[in-house]
């Protein structure tokens, strides 16, 4: 790994290694343009949302990339491990404030001792190791992505002891058991160093979770090419948590 690259602590906790894999990005249609009166102040159009679909090991992984992010900043696969990172436009993997990471762990779904919750907990444990005195966690609970079981939590460090600047970092973790593999989608955000545990704003992080929707895991259709219409046209369901009324 490039020594100048600053990886989010949640990825270090997962201990995944890296190498390239194909990815497709499909922008949603832009809104029709309108002609403003000459005397009117120019309006700044909101950028279109981006749907990212990637064949990662045994399935297509689909989610919505918020428009403030560049879809790919770093991507690698090494044997049974896959990772892809996206940072805010104008930032780099060497210097970032927010990062969205997708990982894949090949073949792990066949292990009956691994569940989406235990997978997420193992990542949280690695996170806590980096900040034992300022660690915070907020489980959102078990969810379903179509037929795939998942578990969602937010973890945070007020002060990461293993970094030079001792910055803080909080991350949304979405762990999913695929048909054969395990996947995660993570949204990490850095903050100034603090001697206190970070306060996890549940509403704020659930809003960010909604910005990643729809999240889908689709079968890979032999011979189908980008933009993978079998997955783009798939249905999805709004997530509900045990504490919420359906």
């Amino acid at each position: 790994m490039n020594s100048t690259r600053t990886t989010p602590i949640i990825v270090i906790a997962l201990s995944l290694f890296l190498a390239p894999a194909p990815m497709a990005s499909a922008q949603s249609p832009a809104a029709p343009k309108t002609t403003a009166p000459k005397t009117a102040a120019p309006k700044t159009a909101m950028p279109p949302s981006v749907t990212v679909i990637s064949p990662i090991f045994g399935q297509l992984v689909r989610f919505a990339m918020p428009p403030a992010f560049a879809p790919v900043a770093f991507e690698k696969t090494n044997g049974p491990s896959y990772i892809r990172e996206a940072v805010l436009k104008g930032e780099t993997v060497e210097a970032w404030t927010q990062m969205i990471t997708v990982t894949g762990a090949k073949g792990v779904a066949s292990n009956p001792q691994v569940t989406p919750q235990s997978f997420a907990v193992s990542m949280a444990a690695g996170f806590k190791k980096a900040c034992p005195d300022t660690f915070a966690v907020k489980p959102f609970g078990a969810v379903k992505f179509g037929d795939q079981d998942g578990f969602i939590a937010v973890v945070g460090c007020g002060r990461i002891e293993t970094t030079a600047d001792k910055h803080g970092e909080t991350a949304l973790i979405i762990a999913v058991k695929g048909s054969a593999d395990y996947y995660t989608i993570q949204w990490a955000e850095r903050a100034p160093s603090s001697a206190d545990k970070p306060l996890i704003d549940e509403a704020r992080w659930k809003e960010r979770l909604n910005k990643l929707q729809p999240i889908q895991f689709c079968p890979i259709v032999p011979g189908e090419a980008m933009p993978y219409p079998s997955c783009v046209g798939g249905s999805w369901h709004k997530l509900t948590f045990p504490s919420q009324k359906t």
Side-chain angles (χ1 to χ4, degrees):
M1 183 183 295
N2 189 330
S3 61
T4 63
R5 179 171 166 272
T6 53
T7 305
I9 190 65
I10 196 65
V11 177
I12 297 173
L14 187 57
S15 299
L16 289 176
F17 298 96
L18 321 173
M23 188 204 70
S25 296
Q27 286 191 339
S28 60
K33 294 182 179 179
T34 58
T35 303
K38 292 182 179 180
T39 56
K43 294 182 178 180
T44 302
M46 290 297 292
S49 61
V50 178
T51 297
V52 181
I53 304 178
S54 309
I56 302 176
F57 300 130
Q59 287 179 280
L60 295 171
V61 177
R62 173 193 178 187
F63 68 99
M65 180 73 71
F69 286 81
V72 181
F74 181 83
E75 184 177 31
K76 266 201 166 184
T77 307
N78 186 1
S81 300
Y82 169 88
I83 186 170
R84 183 175 74 251
E85 298 169 344
V87 296
L88 293 174
K89 293 174 181 176
E91 296 185 352
T92 68
V93 293
E94 289 77 30
W96 57 271
T97 58
Q98 293 187 54
M99 178 180 284
I100 292 176
T101 305
V102 181
T103 69
K106 188 175 183 180
V108 176
S110 63
N111 185 341
Q113 296 182 344
V114 179
T115 66
Q117 181 172 352
S118 70
F119 200 80
V121 167
S122 68
M123 295 177 66
F127 202 98
K128 183 177 181 179
K129 188 176 181 180
C131 59
D133 298 324
T134 61
F135 175 76
V137 60
K138 177 70 177 180
F140 287 175
V143 294
K144 279 277 194 179
F145 297 94
D147 295 332
Q148 316 297 159
D149 293 321
F151 191 88
I152 300 176
V154 176
V155 296
C157 279
R159 176 185 171 93
I160 298 177
E161 303 297 340
T162 55
T163 61
D165 62 356
K166 311 296 183 185
H167 66 263
E169 191 171 314
T170 302
L172 170 72
I173 304 173
I174 305 166
V176 181
K177 180 181 180 180
S179 58
D181 315 305
Y182 261 81
Y183 302 101
T184 74
I185 300 173
Q186 305 151 40
W187 189 332
E189 181 175 30
R190 288 181 168 172
S193 178
S194 173
D196 299 321
K197 297 179 180 181
L199 296 176
I200 296 175
D201 185 336
E202 182 173 342
R204 179 168 178 254
W205 284 99
K206 283 188 175 179
E207 181 182 5
R208 288 189 170 181
L209 172 61
N210 288 334
K211 289 181 178 180
L212 298 172
Q213 299 293 331
I215 297 172
Q216 290 180 263
F217 298 85
C218 307
I220 295 176
V221 178
E224 184 179 61
M226 299 177 187
Y228 308 107
S230 66
C231 194
V232 171
S235 61
W236 64 284
H237 304 280
K238 182 179 176 65
L239 293 182
T240 56
F241 298 90
S243 60
Q244 295 177 322
K245 294 182 180 180
T246 57

